[in-house]
Amino acid sequence: NPPSDCPPDVEVLGRGTWTLLHSIAASYPESPSTSQQSDLLSFVKLFSKLYPCWVCAEDFRTYIGREVPRVESRDDFGKWLCGAHNDVNRKLGKPEFDCSRWQERWRTGWKDGRCD
Ligand code: FAD
């Protein structure tokens, strides 16, 4: 692996980006206003045009066309995003993540207390 002060490859960029996206889900309101919902939807759509891995972005846009982003609540968005991440996991041959546990991974920490 190159030193960490070199430009990111697809993997480093991906890990940092998933951290940001799932963290946005974790801090999204449980009951978002109409304008918060429309901001998140705009963000997801713009992100899908600007993400600087073009094949990744193209597949992500296809996913958005197939599975419309759910922005009605924190848990709806978190589960939708988990599904989008699993779609990439499947494509890359990585294990699928259990989406019922997305909040433990990204918001509350695991029930076994290892993050406390
Ligand atoms: P990552 O997939 O980066 O995951 C980081 C952590 O998130 C994991 O360790 C796990 O704890 C957690 N996690 C895993 N799955 C989920 C889930 N479903 N829900 C919630 N949390 C989860 N790479 C390519 O080579 N080709 C592509 O086409 C491609 N498309 C991408 C599209 C997007 C929108 C993004 C953000 C990234 C894409 N990547 C792509 C990068 C790829 O997804 C990984 O980030 C990269 O391969 C590094 O993988 P990783 O094993 O470190 O874990």
Side-chain angles (χ1 to χ4, degrees):
N1 279 339
S4 63
D5 63 350
C6 298
D9 60 18
V10 173
E11 297 217 334
V12 169
L13 178 69
R15 275 193 289 275
T17 301
W18 288 122
T19 298
L20 173 65
L21 292 174
H22 292 296
S23 299
I24 287 174
S27 69
Y28 189 62
E30 286 185 85
S31 299
S33 66
T34 313
S35 94
Q36 287 171 316
Q37 295 183 45
S38 94
D39 282 352
L40 184 58
L41 193 56
S42 302
F43 171 79
V44 169
K45 289 180 177 168
L46 279 173
F47 166 87
S48 78
K49 294 192 197 178
L50 296 170
Y51 189 60
C53 158
W54 311 125
V55 283
C56 306
E58 200 178 327
D59 286 357
F60 190 66
R61 287 196 297 274
T62 305
Y63 186 82
I64 289 175
R66 201 166 71 230
E67 298 287 340
V68 177
R70 302 276 315 275
V71 297
E72 303 91 330
S73 72
R74 177 192 297 158
D75 200 52
D76 284 329
F77 183 63
K79 289 213 170 77
W80 177 84
L81 186 62
C82 181
H85 195 163
N86 272 340
D87 194 58
V88 180
N89 289 341
R90 275 192 294 277
K91 183 171 80 171
L92 299 179
K94 291 180 195 274
E96 284 194 41
F97 186 91
D98 174 0
C99 289
S100 70
R101 311 198 76 176
W102 83 269
Q103 297 215 28
E104 283 181 80
R105 171 66 178 88
W106 294 105
R107 195 175 80 84
T108 60
W110 298 99
K111 292 212 171 90
D112 66 12
R114 79 178 104 120
C115 306
D116 299 352

